[in-house]
PDB file of all heavy atoms in Angstrom:
ATOM      1  N   ILE A1384      -7.397  18.091  -7.478  1.00  0.00           N
ATOM      2  CA  ILE A1384      -6.930  16.711  -7.662  1.00  0.00           C
ATOM      3  C   ILE A1384      -5.917  16.311  -6.587  1.00  0.00           C
ATOM      4  O   ILE A1384      -5.932  15.180  -6.112  1.00  0.00           O
ATOM      5  CB  ILE A1384      -6.317  16.534  -9.071  1.00  0.00           C
ATOM      6  CG1 ILE A1384      -7.412  16.626 -10.128  1.00  0.00           C
ATOM      7  CG2 ILE A1384      -5.565  15.225  -9.205  1.00  0.00           C
ATOM      8  CD1 ILE A1384      -8.529  15.586 -10.000  1.00  0.00           C
ATOM      9  N   ALA A1385      -5.058  17.202  -6.167  1.00  0.00           N
ATOM     10  CA  ALA A1385      -4.055  16.845  -5.141  1.00  0.00           C
ATOM     11  C   ALA A1385      -4.749  16.433  -3.851  1.00  0.00           C
ATOM     12  O   ALA A1385      -4.347  15.467  -3.196  1.00  0.00           O
ATOM     13  CB  ALA A1385      -3.109  18.007  -4.894  1.00  0.00           C
ATOM     14  N   ALA A1386      -5.821  17.142  -3.489  1.00  0.00           N
ATOM     15  CA  ALA A1386      -6.565  16.803  -2.268  1.00  0.00           C
ATOM     16  C   ALA A1386      -7.296  15.478  -2.434  1.00  0.00           C
ATOM     17  O   ALA A1386      -7.335  14.655  -1.515  1.00  0.00           O
ATOM     18  CB  ALA A1386      -7.547  17.909  -1.911  1.00  0.00           C
ATOM     19  N   VAL A1387      -7.868  15.244  -3.614  1.00  0.00           N
ATOM     20  CA  VAL A1387      -8.548  13.975  -3.885  1.00  0.00           C
ATOM     21  C   VAL A1387      -7.530  12.835  -3.782  1.00  0.00           C
ATOM     22  O   VAL A1387      -7.789  11.811  -3.154  1.00  0.00           O
ATOM     23  CB  VAL A1387      -9.213  13.977  -5.276  1.00  0.00           C
ATOM     24  CG1 VAL A1387      -9.701  12.585  -5.652  1.00  0.00           C
ATOM     25  CG2 VAL A1387     -10.373  14.966  -5.300  1.00  0.00           C
ATOM     26  N   ALA A1388      -6.368  13.023  -4.399  1.00  0.00           N
ATOM     27  CA  ALA A1388      -5.335  11.973  -4.361  1.00  0.00           C
ATOM     28  C   ALA A1388      -4.895  11.708  -2.937  1.00  0.00           C
ATOM     29  O   ALA A1388      -4.758  10.537  -2.526  1.00  0.00           O
ATOM     30  CB  ALA A1388      -4.141  12.386  -5.222  1.00  0.00           C
ATOM     31  N   ALA A1389      -4.680  12.747  -2.167  1.00  0.00           N
ATOM     32  CA  ALA A1389      -4.233  12.589  -0.780  1.00  0.00           C
ATOM     33  C   ALA A1389      -5.268  11.829   0.044  1.00  0.00           C
ATOM     34  O   ALA A1389      -4.921  11.059   0.936  1.00  0.00           O
ATOM     35  CB  ALA A1389      -3.948  13.944  -0.145  1.00  0.00           C
ATOM     36  N   TYR A1390      -6.535  12.032  -0.261  1.00  0.00           N
ATOM     37  CA  TYR A1390      -7.594  11.343   0.483  1.00  0.00           C
ATOM     38  C   TYR A1390      -7.818   9.933  -0.038  1.00  0.00           C
ATOM     39  O   TYR A1390      -7.896   8.966   0.722  1.00  0.00           O
ATOM     40  CB  TYR A1390      -8.914  12.122   0.420  1.00  0.00           C
ATOM     41  CG  TYR A1390      -9.966  11.431   1.247  1.00  0.00           C
ATOM     42  CD1 TYR A1390     -10.024  11.613   2.623  1.00  0.00           C
ATOM     43  CD2 TYR A1390     -10.861  10.549   0.661  1.00  0.00           C
ATOM     44  CE1 TYR A1390     -10.947  10.956   3.386  1.00  0.00           C
ATOM     45  CE2 TYR A1390     -11.790   9.879   1.428  1.00  0.00           C
ATOM     46  CZ  TYR A1390     -11.828  10.086   2.788  1.00  0.00           C
ATOM     47  OH  TYR A1390     -12.742   9.403   3.548  1.00  0.00           O
ATOM     48  N   ALA A1391      -7.914   9.775  -1.351  1.00  0.00           N
ATOM     49  CA  ALA A1391      -8.351   8.506  -1.942  1.00  0.00           C
ATOM     50  C   ALA A1391      -7.249   7.447  -1.988  1.00  0.00           C
ATOM     51  O   ALA A1391      -7.514   6.261  -1.747  1.00  0.00           O
ATOM     52  CB  ALA A1391      -8.885   8.742  -3.353  1.00  0.00           C
ATOM     53  N   LEU A1392      -6.032   7.834  -2.299  1.00  0.00           N
ATOM     54  CA  LEU A1392      -4.982   6.839  -2.550  1.00  0.00           C
ATOM     55  C   LEU A1392      -4.697   5.923  -1.364  1.00  0.00           C
ATOM     56  O   LEU A1392      -4.550   4.726  -1.550  1.00  0.00           O
ATOM     57  CB  LEU A1392      -3.708   7.515  -3.054  1.00  0.00           C
ATOM     58  CG  LEU A1392      -3.879   8.216  -4.399  1.00  0.00           C
ATOM     59  CD1 LEU A1392      -2.575   8.855  -4.834  1.00  0.00           C
ATOM     60  CD2 LEU A1392      -4.385   7.264  -5.467  1.00  0.00           C
ATOM     61  N   PRO A1393      -4.637   6.415  -0.150  1.00  0.00           N
ATOM     62  CA  PRO A1393      -4.399   5.504   0.960  1.00  0.00           C
ATOM     63  C   PRO A1393      -5.586   4.582   1.272  1.00  0.00           C
ATOM     64  O   PRO A1393      -5.454   3.605   1.969  1.00  0.00           O
ATOM     65  CB  PRO A1393      -4.133   6.408   2.165  1.00  0.00           C
ATOM     66  CG  PRO A1393      -3.905   7.763   1.619  1.00  0.00           C
ATOM     67  CD  PRO A1393      -4.588   7.812   0.278  1.00  0.00           C
ATOM     68  N   ARG A1394      -6.742   4.899   0.715  1.00  0.00           N
ATOM     69  CA  ARG A1394      -7.957   4.154   1.050  1.00  0.00           C
ATOM     70  C   ARG A1394      -8.433   3.204  -0.050  1.00  0.00           C
ATOM     71  O   ARG A1394      -9.451   2.555   0.096  1.00  0.00           O
ATOM     72  CB  ARG A1394      -9.085   5.142   1.361  1.00  0.00           C
ATOM     73  CG  ARG A1394      -8.836   5.943   2.620  1.00  0.00           C
ATOM     74  CD  ARG A1394      -9.805   7.103   2.729  1.00  0.00           C
ATOM     75  NE  ARG A1394      -9.682   7.785   4.007  1.00  0.00           N
ATOM     76  CZ  ARG A1394      -8.780   8.713   4.269  1.00  0.00           C
ATOM     77  NH1 ARG A1394      -7.909   9.067   3.344  1.00  0.00           N
ATOM     78  NH2 ARG A1394      -8.734   9.281   5.460  1.00  0.00           N
ATOM     79  N   ALA A1395      -7.749   3.169  -1.182  1.00  0.00           N
ATOM     80  CA  ALA A1395      -8.210   2.360  -2.320  1.00  0.00           C
ATOM     81  C   ALA A1395      -7.056   1.545  -2.894  1.00  0.00           C
ATOM     82  O   ALA A1395      -5.920   1.984  -2.893  1.00  0.00           O
ATOM     83  CB  ALA A1395      -8.788   3.274  -3.390  1.00  0.00           C
ATOM     84  N   GLU A1396      -7.396   0.371  -3.391  1.00  0.00           N
ATOM     85  CA  GLU A1396      -6.426  -0.476  -4.070  1.00  0.00           C
ATOM     86  C   GLU A1396      -6.392  -0.093  -5.553  1.00  0.00           C
ATOM     87  O   GLU A1396      -7.429   0.288  -6.121  1.00  0.00           O
ATOM     88  CB  GLU A1396      -6.821  -1.946  -3.935  1.00  0.00           C
ATOM     89  CG  GLU A1396      -6.749  -2.459  -2.511  1.00  0.00           C
ATOM     90  CD  GLU A1396      -5.329  -2.445  -1.971  1.00  0.00           C
ATOM     91  OE1 GLU A1396      -4.388  -2.766  -2.727  1.00  0.00           O
ATOM     92  OE2 GLU A1396      -5.161  -2.096  -0.788  1.00  0.00           O
ATOM     93  N   PRO A1397      -5.226  -0.198  -6.208  1.00  0.00           N
ATOM     94  CA  PRO A1397      -5.115   0.224  -7.615  1.00  0.00           C
ATOM     95  C   PRO A1397      -6.170  -0.386  -8.540  1.00  0.00           C
ATOM     96  O   PRO A1397      -6.810   0.350  -9.297  1.00  0.00           O
ATOM     97  CB  PRO A1397      -3.699  -0.204  -8.013  1.00  0.00           C
ATOM     98  CG  PRO A1397      -2.950  -0.247  -6.736  1.00  0.00           C
ATOM     99  CD  PRO A1397      -3.943  -0.649  -5.679  1.00  0.00           C
ATOM    100  N   PRO A1398      -6.422  -1.709  -8.505  1.00  0.00           N
ATOM    101  CA  PRO A1398      -7.420  -2.246  -9.427  1.00  0.00           C
ATOM    102  C   PRO A1398      -8.820  -1.659  -9.182  1.00  0.00           C
ATOM    103  O   PRO A1398      -9.538  -1.359 -10.126  1.00  0.00           O
ATOM    104  CB  PRO A1398      -7.419  -3.743  -9.142  1.00  0.00           C
ATOM    105  CG  PRO A1398      -6.123  -4.030  -8.478  1.00  0.00           C
ATOM    106  CD  PRO A1398      -5.762  -2.767  -7.738  1.00  0.00           C
ATOM    107  N   ASP A1399      -9.172  -1.472  -7.917  1.00  0.00           N
ATOM    108  CA  ASP A1399     -10.483  -0.935  -7.584  1.00  0.00           C
ATOM    109  C   ASP A1399     -10.604   0.519  -8.029  1.00  0.00           C
ATOM    110  O   ASP A1399     -11.620   0.935  -8.584  1.00  0.00           O
ATOM    111  CB  ASP A1399     -10.746  -1.032  -6.082  1.00  0.00           C
ATOM    112  CG  ASP A1399     -10.764  -2.459  -5.592  1.00  0.00           C
ATOM    113  OD1 ASP A1399     -11.039  -3.369  -6.402  1.00  0.00           O
ATOM    114  OD2 ASP A1399     -10.475  -2.682  -4.407  1.00  0.00           O
ATOM    115  N   LEU A1400      -9.557   1.291  -7.778  1.00  0.00           N
ATOM    116  CA  LEU A1400      -9.553   2.699  -8.161  1.00  0.00           C
ATOM    117  C   LEU A1400      -9.705   2.852  -9.668  1.00  0.00           C
ATOM    118  O   LEU A1400     -10.538   3.602 -10.153  1.00  0.00           O
ATOM    119  CB  LEU A1400      -8.278   3.370  -7.674  1.00  0.00           C
ATOM    120  CG  LEU A1400      -8.077   4.826  -8.042  1.00  0.00           C
ATOM    121  CD1 LEU A1400      -9.114   5.691  -7.348  1.00  0.00           C
ATOM    122  CD2 LEU A1400      -6.691   5.289  -7.687  1.00  0.00           C
ATOM    123  N   LEU A1401      -8.889   2.120 -10.417  1.00  0.00           N
ATOM    124  CA  LEU A1401      -8.936   2.238 -11.880  1.00  0.00           C
ATOM    125  C   LEU A1401     -10.263   1.748 -12.445  1.00  0.00           C
ATOM    126  O   LEU A1401     -10.803   2.355 -13.366  1.00  0.00           O
ATOM    127  CB  LEU A1401      -7.767   1.474 -12.500  1.00  0.00           C
ATOM    128  CG  LEU A1401      -6.401   2.084 -12.234  1.00  0.00           C
ATOM    129  CD1 LEU A1401      -5.299   1.158 -12.711  1.00  0.00           C
ATOM    130  CD2 LEU A1401      -6.272   3.447 -12.882  1.00  0.00           C
ATOM    131  N   ALA A1402     -10.800   0.663 -11.904  1.00  0.00           N
ATOM    132  CA  ALA A1402     -12.087   0.157 -12.367  1.00  0.00           C
ATOM    133  C   ALA A1402     -13.197   1.162 -12.075  1.00  0.00           C
ATOM    134  O   ALA A1402     -14.046   1.427 -12.923  1.00  0.00           O
ATOM    135  CB  ALA A1402     -12.396  -1.197 -11.733  1.00  0.00           C
ATOM    136  N   PHE A1403     -13.170   1.736 -10.874  1.00  0.00           N
ATOM    137  CA  PHE A1403     -14.187   2.714 -10.500  1.00  0.00           C
ATOM    138  C   PHE A1403     -14.150   3.907 -11.444  1.00  0.00           C
ATOM    139  O   PHE A1403     -15.185   4.427 -11.842  1.00  0.00           O
ATOM    140  CB  PHE A1403     -13.969   3.153  -9.057  1.00  0.00           C
ATOM    141  CG  PHE A1403     -15.095   4.006  -8.523  1.00  0.00           C
ATOM    142  CD1 PHE A1403     -16.155   3.420  -7.866  1.00  0.00           C
ATOM    143  CD2 PHE A1403     -15.093   5.375  -8.703  1.00  0.00           C
ATOM    144  CE1 PHE A1403     -17.209   4.196  -7.399  1.00  0.00           C
ATOM    145  CE2 PHE A1403     -16.135   6.164  -8.232  1.00  0.00           C
ATOM    146  CZ  PHE A1403     -17.207   5.572  -7.582  1.00  0.00           C
ATOM    147  N   LEU A1404     -12.962   4.349 -11.798  1.00  0.00           N
ATOM    148  CA  LEU A1404     -12.800   5.493 -12.683  1.00  0.00           C
ATOM    149  C   LEU A1404     -12.955   5.119 -14.157  1.00  0.00           C
ATOM    150  O   LEU A1404     -12.793   5.968 -15.029  1.00  0.00           O
ATOM    151  CB  LEU A1404     -11.432   6.142 -12.445  1.00  0.00           C
ATOM    152  CG  LEU A1404     -11.226   6.755 -11.072  1.00  0.00           C
ATOM    153  CD1 LEU A1404      -9.789   7.197 -10.908  1.00  0.00           C
ATOM    154  CD2 LEU A1404     -12.193   7.900 -10.818  1.00  0.00           C
ATOM    155  N   GLU A1405     -13.268   3.843 -14.412  1.00  0.00           N
ATOM    156  CA  GLU A1405     -13.420   3.323 -15.771  1.00  0.00           C
ATOM    157  C   GLU A1405     -12.183   3.568 -16.621  1.00  0.00           C
ATOM    158  O   GLU A1405     -12.263   3.898 -17.796  1.00  0.00           O
ATOM    159  CB  GLU A1405     -14.673   3.919 -16.427  1.00  0.00           C
ATOM    160  CG  GLU A1405     -15.955   3.574 -15.689  1.00  0.00           C
ATOM    161  CD  GLU A1405     -17.190   4.228 -16.262  1.00  0.00           C
ATOM    162  OE1 GLU A1405     -17.079   5.032 -17.223  1.00  0.00           O
ATOM    163  OE2 GLU A1405     -18.285   3.929 -15.747  1.00  0.00           O
ATOM    164  N   MET A1406     -11.009   3.415 -15.992  1.00  0.00           N
ATOM    165  CA  MET A1406      -9.757   3.643 -16.707  1.00  0.00           C
ATOM    166  C   MET A1406      -8.832   2.438 -16.663  1.00  0.00           C
ATOM    167  O   MET A1406      -7.700   2.516 -17.128  1.00  0.00           O
ATOM    168  CB  MET A1406      -9.057   4.874 -16.112  1.00  0.00           C
ATOM    169  CG  MET A1406      -9.816   6.148 -16.373  1.00  0.00           C
ATOM    170  SD  MET A1406      -8.936   7.620 -15.868  1.00  0.00           S
ATOM    171  CE  MET A1406      -7.552   7.623 -16.965  1.00  0.00           C
ATOM    172  N   ASP A1407      -9.279   1.302 -16.118  1.00  0.00           N
ATOM    173  CA  ASP A1407      -8.400   0.148 -15.975  1.00  0.00           C
ATOM    174  C   ASP A1407      -7.896  -0.380 -17.317  1.00  0.00           C
ATOM    175  O   ASP A1407      -6.770  -0.853 -17.416  1.00  0.00           O
ATOM    176  CB  ASP A1407      -9.079  -0.967 -15.166  1.00  0.00           C
ATOM    177  CG  ASP A1407     -10.468  -1.302 -15.648  1.00  0.00           C
ATOM    178  OD1 ASP A1407     -11.136  -0.442 -16.252  1.00  0.00           O
ATOM    179  OD2 ASP A1407     -10.905  -2.430 -15.398  1.00  0.00           O
ATOM    180  N   ALA A1408      -8.693  -0.291 -18.357  1.00  0.00           N
ATOM    181  CA  ALA A1408      -8.292  -0.792 -19.662  1.00  0.00           C
ATOM    182  C   ALA A1408      -7.732   0.296 -20.580  1.00  0.00           C
ATOM    183  O   ALA A1408      -7.414   0.037 -21.736  1.00  0.00           O
ATOM    184  CB  ALA A1408      -9.481  -1.471 -20.343  1.00  0.00           C
ATOM    185  N   ARG A1409      -7.601   1.505 -20.068  1.00  0.00           N
ATOM    186  CA  ARG A1409      -7.087   2.625 -20.887  1.00  0.00           C
ATOM    187  C   ARG A1409      -5.651   2.340 -21.306  1.00  0.00           C
ATOM    188  O   ARG A1409      -4.801   1.965 -20.491  1.00  0.00           O
ATOM    189  CB  ARG A1409      -7.156   3.910 -20.078  1.00  0.00           C
ATOM    190  CG  ARG A1409      -6.521   5.112 -20.758  1.00  0.00           C
ATOM    191  CD  ARG A1409      -7.520   6.163 -21.049  1.00  0.00           C
ATOM    192  NE  ARG A1409      -6.914   7.268 -21.756  1.00  0.00           N
ATOM    193  CZ  ARG A1409      -7.022   8.531 -21.389  1.00  0.00           C
ATOM    194  NH1 ARG A1409      -7.738   8.847 -20.331  1.00  0.00           N
ATOM    195  NH2 ARG A1409      -6.462   9.477 -22.101  1.00  0.00           N
ATOM    196  N   PRO A1410      -5.328   2.510 -22.575  1.00  0.00           N
ATOM    197  CA  PRO A1410      -3.949   2.282 -23.027  1.00  0.00           C
ATOM    198  C   PRO A1410      -2.998   3.350 -22.482  1.00  0.00           C
ATOM    199  O   PRO A1410      -3.364   4.520 -22.358  1.00  0.00           O
ATOM    200  CB  PRO A1410      -4.036   2.357 -24.553  1.00  0.00           C
ATOM    201  CG  PRO A1410      -5.372   2.921 -24.876  1.00  0.00           C
ATOM    202  CD  PRO A1410      -6.220   2.856 -23.663  1.00  0.00           C
TER     203      PRO A1410
END
């Protein structure tokens, strides 16, 4: 996960990342 985060976070916007992971509406 640390490697995924290091790669993905600079390349994705929060709304897009959360929607892609199907977690945007997670409480």
